[in-house]
Amino acid sequence: MLSPHSVMETLRKGEIFLKWYNKILWSIGMIILSPFLFLFAVIAFICSIPNMIKTKEQYYKSEYYKDFNVPFTLEWEYSSRDRIRFYNNIKKRNLHINYKRQKSNGFEYFVFEDVIYMFPDFDYMNFDKENSIWIVDYDGEWQAFDIAYKNLVSKFDCDVDVSCVKLLIERNMFYISDLDEVDVPNCIFVTWSYDSAFSNDEPSIKKRLPQSIQDIFEIMNQIQGLCGNYYISDDGCIVWDLYDSFQVYIFKDPENYEFEMGILKIVSGKVESELTHWHPSPCQIYDEICKMGKKGNVIVIKTFLNGAGVLYSGAKENCPYKKQKKRLFGKMYFLESK
């Protein structure tokens, strides 16, 4: 009869053998699959080339490049994407700001209404309840916000009054759905989107992300200059009479994170068909409503075969598409809020 020690030794050797055996199987599997993995990587790279070319072309046509002449690289474009987007949009909106790009280190900031604004170099923010501090995410590594803020301020190559310096941060960078539950640092200015910063930034609306159709309805009631008439239907959907012969709807499935917005074609007072629909997140839907519903704004939709999609939504004067009566393929709809 084997002793307990012998049994344990036998089991230990069997465990070592299984670990060794699994490593062999894993190695064989990787050798067999490696050609397929390599082929998949090559295909993915080839498929990404058209998008990279398009991104590069758009950059060299942008207002940012015209003014700063910074050469394009994928790594730099990725890290600077938000700043480029912000700059291009303020130029389109003729927003009078003093934008700076330091030659010494490439650090960018701007002055607007006597306040100096910086851009974050981190991905997300969250509040650490256990330690009662704000923390920020650098590609999966978290750091105290105070340290990150001081590091950004240290990049100025001129003397600045720190009390006048703020970080411009998009609402979707916060993990917290209700900012009323925490004290946001005074050095932070929250905007819905860099595309529309300082235009659609009612402070009370930005505090809590909408979770229901009732939340959206209350937000719409607070937006100044919103066109059309809207109401909540019996089936819990916001019906928005915004365009002639077309109707906007907003819907929220309780089990889904995103909302659904769509445009219906109305004939003789009845819904004939759905033109298109899309799914904005709680962070995006406020900006979507403003871009569609402010007076003089337009939405451009292109249909092709059985599909359709939104090409543009926003100020009419900035729309890059020309209104044409006939097109060889598909149809273009230009809907303007009045």
Side-chain angles (χ1 to χ4, degrees), residues 86 89 93 95 112 168-171 189-207 219 222-226 283-295 297 313-315:
F86 171 82
N89 277 282
R93 293 186 283 133
L95 194 66
F112 179 65
L168 182 66
I169 296 182
E170 283 187 311
R171 183 60 178 85
F189 183 88
V190 183
T191 183
W192 277 111
S193 170
Y194 288 134
D195 297 342
S196 58
F198 308 113
S199 293
N200 301 322
D201 278 325
E202 287 85 344
S204 59
I205 299 178
K206 292 179 294 186
K207 289 289 186 177
I219 285 175
Q222 296 179 61
I223 299 175
Q224 298 180 1
L226 200 63
C283 289
Q284 297 169 330
I285 192 165
Y286 170 78
D287 209 43
E288 291 284 323
I289 291 171
C290 289
K291 287 190 294 185
M292 291 176 63
K294 290 294 184 76
K295 187 175 181 179
N297 283 9
S313 182

Side-chain angles (χ1 to χ4, degrees), residues 255-267:
E255 295 183 359
N256 290 337
Y257 171 76
E258 296 177 326
F259 288 84
E260 180 177 313
M261 294 184 72
I263 298 180
L264 307 171
K265 190 173 183 179
I266 307 298
V267 178

Side-chain angles (χ1 to χ4, degrees), residues 277-321:
H277 73 272
W278 60 98
H279 299 273
S281 71
C283 289
Q284 297 169 330
I285 192 165
Y286 170 78
D287 209 43
E288 291 284 323
I289 291 171
C290 289
K291 287 190 294 185
M292 291 176 63
K294 290 294 184 76
K295 187 175 181 179
N297 283 9
V298 298
I299 186 169
V300 181
I301 300 167
K302 182 179 181 180
T303 61
F304 181 75
L305 298 177
N306 293 325
V310 177
L311 298 180
Y312 174 80
S313 182
K316 183 178 180 180
E317 59 270 20
N318 296 328
C319 181
Y321 300 97

Side-chain angles (χ1 to χ4, degrees), residues 90-152:
I90 62 167
K91 294 287 284 190
K92 289 178 182 178
R93 293 186 283 133
N94 293 316
L95 194 66
H96 298 293
I97 69 170
N98 185 10
Y99 196 96
K100 301 286 188 181
R101 187 176 194 277
Q102 296 179 166
K103 292 183 179 180
S104 59
N105 55 8
F107 182 66
E108 297 178 21
Y109 64 94
F110 64 93
V111 182
F112 179 65
E113 295 181 346
D114 299 324
V115 178
I116 302 171
Y117 291 93
M118 306 182 297
F119 297 94
D121 60 351
F122 47 82
D123 302 313
Y124 297 100
M125 286 192 68
N126 200 5
F127 187 73
D128 182 352
K129 293 182 179 180
E130 184 177 345
N131 297 302
S132 298
I133 60 169
W134 282 95
I135 54 177
V136 294
D137 175 24
Y138 285 96
D139 195 23
E141 294 188 8
W142 291 89
Q143 183 182 100
F145 169 75
D146 289 346
I147 296 175
Y149 179 78
K150 289 177 181 178
N151 288 339
L152 282 169

Side-chain angles (χ1 to χ4, degrees), residues 214-261:
Q214 186 61 43
D215 290 341
I216 294 297
F217 188 77
E218 292 174 2
I219 285 175
M220 292 176 73
N221 287 335
Q222 296 179 61
I223 299 175
Q224 298 180 1
L226 200 63
C227 297
N229 299 308
Y230 51 88
Y231 60 91
I232 299 179
S233 63
D234 293 337
D235 58 357
C237 177
I238 291 180
V239 178
W240 190 6
D241 294 316
L242 182 60
Y243 309 114
D244 294 336
S245 303
F246 293 92
Q247 194 175 68
V248 178
Y249 73 84
I250 305 174
F251 175 72
K252 176 70 166 64
D253 185 335
E255 295 183 359
N256 290 337
Y257 171 76
E258 296 177 326
F259 288 84
E260 180 177 313
M261 294 184 72

